[in-house]
Amino acid sequence: MFLFVPHPASPSQVEDPRSEAKRREARRGSEESMTAHCPECDNAITLEKPLRGEIVVCSDCGSELEVTSENPLVLNLAPQEEEDWGE
């Protein structure tokens, strides 16, 4: 009876299991974050997991922007709220 025992790989060939997890995390992060430009000042804005209807503020000009499309990410000026006079 023969028992097959695989030859151990050299340390340089053995991959740290944490490195695969780090690669997966990096891919996941890049898939969830998206970049668009402010329609007022053209500042690049990166959002994590953007949702349609979400309101964000441009860090350069302070404009309130609404996510109008998630893929591709599109930002438009958010509509201004009208004052409610109790009607």
Side-chain angles (χ1 to χ4, degrees), residues 11 13 26 31 34 38-40 55 60 62 69 81 87:
Q13 293 174 331
E31 291 170 359
M34 303 179 95
C38 173
E40 284 291 300
I55 303 295
D60 274 7
S69 174
E81 290 186 22
E87 298 174 15

Side-chain angles (χ1 to χ4, degrees), residues 25-35 46-50:
E25 185 65 32
R27 281 194 305 264
R28 184 179 316 132
S30 65
E31 291 170 359
E32 294 173 355
S33 65
M34 303 179 95
T35 301
T46 301
L47 300 175
E48 301 291 325
K49 299 181 187 179

Side-chain angles (χ1 to χ4, degrees), residues 11-71:
S12 64
Q13 293 174 331
V14 176
E15 185 175 342
D16 183 359
R18 293 175 290 183
S19 62
E20 176 60 29
K22 288 178 184 177
R23 278 200 300 275
R24 277 196 310 268
E25 185 65 32
R27 281 194 305 264
R28 184 179 316 132
S30 65
E31 291 170 359
E32 294 173 355
S33 65
M34 303 179 95
T35 301
H37 292 272
C38 173
E40 284 291 300
C41 68
D42 203 38
N43 177 43
I45 299 172
T46 301
L47 300 175
E48 301 291 325
K49 299 181 187 179
L51 297 173
R52 182 174 292 166
E54 178 180 2
I55 303 295
V56 296
V57 176
C58 175
S59 61
D60 274 7
C61 69
S63 295
E64 290 188 347
L65 307 171
E66 180 179 9
V67 176
T68 56
S69 174
E70 297 168 7
N71 195 4

